[in-house]
Amino acid sequence: MSFSVALLTFGVILLLVGIAGKIQAKELSVGTDSPASRVVVGILGAMLIVVALSQEGINFGALLGGDDDNGSNGSPVAGGTLGLLNSNVSDDSKDDKSAAETQITDDATAKTAALEEALAKAQAEKAEVEAAIAREREQREAERRRDEAAQSEKLIRVLQSSYGILREYCDPTEKIKSICDERMHCQVKIDNTLCGDPLKNEEKEGRIVYLCGEQEKTTVTPEEEIAYLSCE
């Protein structure tokens, strides 16, 4: 076997490894799965083939598809072999690019979903807090109304009053209201300072009608004594 034939054979083997990745012959396995390594091995095999063919006097330009010195077309086998190698490398690059783009898209989709989930959770928590605040406000308002209602039942509201006897009397209602309204209890001295002396030199009395909540009460007090009003 000549050197050029051995070189050609070895170049073809390397080229096939670059194209196929691995060659299995009985128990012997030759090759690699790495795309980059396959490219390097394939190029090296092609270069060895070119050297071997050059030593045999074969025009390499014709093998690549150009015209030889006689104007004949290049070898379709060699052109197809190199084309297959280039196609394989191109396909590997496209696959790697497509896988990278797919991974980026998947990562972006996952992050978007996580953000949407976090936003929805935050909105739900906000709604729960607002609902709790609203319930607390309603509870406080209800308690305030109950307190006011309970308090109003303990506060005096003067309805009417008189100072005198029979049909001879004056009306001290406004003065007594200013003393006793909105209080739980109060004291009023029954004398001429309430609204004057409606009947001179006669014993008089003071009559006061007032409310404790919805309950009406009346107190009658002789002149110069103290009238006690109470809602307790």
Side-chain angles (χ1 to χ4, degrees), residues 22-90:
K22 283 188 177 182
I23 298 177
Q24 184 74 33
K26 295 184 178 180
E27 296 181 355
L28 179 64
S29 177
V30 179
T32 177
D33 291 328
S34 172
S37 299
R38 288 167 58 188
V39 170
V40 173
V41 171
I43 292 175
L44 180 59
M47 292 175 64
L48 293 178
I49 292 173
V50 171
V51 173
L53 293 176
S54 297
Q55 290 185 356
E56 294 295 324
I58 300 175
N59 191 340
F60 182 66
L63 289 175
L64 294 179
D67 293 338
D68 59 11
D69 294 339
N70 297 324
S72 61
N73 291 331
S75 170
V77 175
T81 302
L82 294 176
L84 180 60
L85 176 61
N86 291 334
S87 175
N88 188 61
V89 173
S90 177

Side-chain angles (χ1 to χ4, degrees), residues 104-210:
I104 293 173
T105 301
D106 292 343
D107 290 345
T109 301
K111 290 179 179 179
T112 300
L115 289 175
E116 291 177 350
E117 182 179 357
L119 179 60
K121 183 178 180 180
Q123 290 176 342
E125 292 177 351
K126 178 182 178 183
E128 291 179 359
V129 171
E130 291 177 346
I133 292 175
R135 288 193 298 269
E136 185 176 355
R137 287 177 178 174
E138 291 177 358
Q139 183 178 357
R140 289 182 179 180
E141 180 63 20
E143 291 176 354
R144 185 186 65 80
R145 289 194 295 264
R146 287 195 299 268
D147 290 343
E148 289 181 350
Q151 188 69 15
S152 66
E153 295 179 357
K154 298 179 180 180
L155 299 180
I156 296 169
R157 285 191 297 156
V158 176
L159 298 178
Q160 61 184 16
S161 62
S162 62
Y163 172 61
I165 56 173
L166 300 176
R167 295 184 179 181
E168 300 293 334
Y169 61 88
C170 60
D171 187 353
T173 300
E174 291 302 320
K175 185 170 184 177
I176 296 176
K177 286 174 67 70
S178 68
I179 297 172
C180 297
D181 271 3
E182 304 301 323
R183 297 177 181 273
M184 297 180 66
H185 51 80
C186 68
Q187 300 177 9
V188 180
K189 185 176 182 180
I190 305 302
D191 59 16
N192 294 336
T193 61
L194 290 176
C195 55
D197 188 355
L199 191 61
K200 297 184 181 298
N201 301 321
E202 294 289 340
E203 186 177 345
K204 297 171 280 293
E205 64 183 15
R207 181 182 179 87
I208 304 172
V209 180
Y210 63 98

